[in-house]
Amino acid sequence: AQSVTQPDIHITVSEGASLELRCNYSYGATPYLFWYVQSPGQGLQLLLKYFSGDTLVQGIKGFEAEFKRSQSSFNLRKPSVHWSDAAEYFCAVGPNAGGTSYGKLTFGQGTILTVHP
Amino acid sequence: DAGVIQSPRHEVTEMGQEVTLRCKPISGHNSLFWYRQTMMRGLELLIYFNNNVPIDDSGMPEDRFSAKMPNASFSTLKIQPSEPRDSAVYFCASSSSGGEHTQYFGPGTRLTVL
């Protein structure tokens, strides 16, 4: 069965510092990978996704993530964090084109990001 | 595109009452997902549909919960009777197989059962 692990429940960084949120997955084949962000009181918003090709993907709000097959990881990064980035971040894994689960995603438990001024 | 639409945004009800949550997926999407989010349990998948057919309802907590999708543009999640432990934020999401199954989420319905 597929699974997603976000090892860090809560991360605190200073504004302007770099950020890396970790995500490890377990899946039988190369999956589709996603990062979502949820601001307080809001729904989940797609930040970026990886399907195939270049393993470094760019997303919205200056975020990027790198797919590392050998490490089964899909870590999210941002070079300089802004106070508005404070939110909860979810990594998710889904079936590739050969899957039959109709798009069901498995989500990690989320990482809460706090940004200090 | 209007995105996924959910109503109501907030619902406060008393224990024992029936609650109906509504979702309109993005036009053209053929999969629809209902999630529940709480502090204690995080984000849980309750049920999902493909082409209006329920595929997996193993996440539905009890028989008090039921979901329908009568057509491609509308789905409901019903709780009858409601209990205080059902208090949560309920999200609807939709996706398309043509879009590599990227799920787009609605704003959620915050349910409070007193």
Side-chain angles (χ1 to χ4, degrees):
Chain A
Q2 58 201 52
S3 66
V4 178
T5 302
Q6 294 181 243
D8 304 304
I9 297 174
H10 194 171
I11 283 183
T12 300
V13 299
S14 298
E15 191 169 17
S18 63
L19 172 70
E20 183 170 33
L21 302 182
R22 296 182 291 165
C23 172
N24 294 98
Y25 68 89
S26 173
Y27 193 74
T30 301
Y32 291 164
L33 295 158
F34 306 83
W35 274 100
Y36 287 84
V37 59
Q38 184 180 29
S39 298
Q42 305 294 315
L44 278 71
Q45 180 185 16
L46 180 69
L47 273 179
L48 49 77
K49 56 191 176 184
Y50 172 78
F51 295 147
S52 64
D54 192 345
T55 56
L56 184 64
V57 294
Q58 303 296 321
I60 62 171
K61 305 185 181 188
F63 285 90
E64 66 178 26
E66 185 172 13
F67 169 55
K68 292 186 177 180
R69 185 191 308 274
S70 62
Q71 300 176 19
S72 296
S73 69
F74 189 57
N75 294 348
L76 182 71
R77 300 194 294 251
K78 186 170 185 178
S80 177
V81 170
H82 188 262
W83 64 266
S84 60
D85 293 324
E88 188 164 14
Y89 292 79
F90 293 90
C91 181
V93 59
N96 60 21
T100 58
S101 63
Y102 305 103
K104 175 184 174 182
L105 298 183
T106 299
F107 284 84
Q109 287 300 102
T111 297
I112 298 171
L113 174 65
T114 299
V115 181
H116 280 167
Chain B
D1 196 326
V4 176
I5 299 172
Q6 290 186 248
S7 65
R9 293 294 310 276
H10 301 272
E11 176 80 34
V12 180
T13 191
E14 293 190 346
M15 182 174 62
Q17 297 298 306
E18 177 180 296
V19 175
T20 299
L21 310 182
R22 297 172 176 80
C23 175
K24 177 179 170 56
I26 293 172
S27 177
H29 282 190
N30 59 350
S31 289
L32 183 140
F33 306 81
W34 282 102
Y35 293 88
R36 177 172 70 176
Q37 187 178 41
T38 61
M39 290 289 290
M40 291 298 295
R41 301 175 68 91
L43 190 67
E44 303 174 274
L45 176 63
L46 300 178
I47 185 173
Y48 66 100
F49 296 83
N50 181 258
N51 293 328
N52 312 336
V53 176
I55 301 301
D56 184 353
D57 66 354
S58 60
M60 296 284 262
E62 301 172 32
D63 291 345
R64 298 184 296 107
F65 285 70
S66 62
K68 294 182 179 179
M69 192 164 186
N71 57 61
S73 59
F74 184 66
S75 176
T76 59
L77 178 67
K78 185 179 294 186
I79 308 172
Q80 165 63 17
S82 58
E83 296 182 4
R85 61 193 167 125
D86 302 331
S87 297
V89 181
Y90 292 81
F91 289 105
C92 175
S94 69
S95 70
S96 166
S97 55
E100 288 110 354
H101 300 297
T102 301
Q103 286 188 22
Y104 294 91
F105 282 74
T109 295
R110 180 172 295 277
L111 173 65
T112 302
V113 183
L114 302 174

